[in-house]
Amino acid sequence: MPNDSSERRRRVTAQRTGPLLIEGPVEVTLDDGTVVSSDRFCVALCTCRRSRTFPWCDTSHRKPAGPSQTDTQGPEATSELLNP
């Protein structure tokens, strides 16, 4: 029951470009009816569906860091920086 005083409220933190952070422990029912649970104090639920451990987030939503500006300019730019 939603108003049952034996259950405490859970805090959910929504992030624009990341997972849902939920204070645990939690039980999650997936769309196929499978129930998964975690006893951790805080869990990250994947919202991008790229996670290999779905429904848990594995940070697959993060884009890889691009090369630095000196890497993209070639060896000439690097030698100019070293020998002005």
Side-chain angles (χ1 to χ4, degrees), residues 8 13 35 49 51:
R8 70 176 190 86
T13 304
V35 177
R49 291 205 170 252
S51 175

Side-chain angles (χ1 to χ4, degrees), residues 32-79:
D32 66 356
T34 305
V35 177
V36 294
S37 61
S38 174
D39 292 326
R40 297 184 69 164
F41 70 94
C42 184
V43 296
L45 289 183
C46 175
T47 57
C48 71
R49 291 205 170 252
R50 288 184 262 178
S51 175
R52 291 184 182 150
T53 59
F54 188 82
W56 317 120
C57 178
D58 67 0
T59 68
S60 293
H61 61 275
R62 295 182 184 167
K63 295 181 182 175
S68 69
Q69 193 168 1
T70 56
D71 291 343
T72 61
Q73 293 176 349
E76 302 82 23
T78 305
S79 63

Side-chain angles (χ1 to χ4, degrees), residues 19-36:
L20 287 175
L21 300 177
I22 303 174
E23 290 183 358
V26 298
E27 239 182 39
V28 178
T29 304
L30 303 177
D31 54 356
D32 66 356
T34 305
V35 177
V36 294

Side-chain angles (χ1 to χ4, degrees), residues 17 74 77:
T17 58

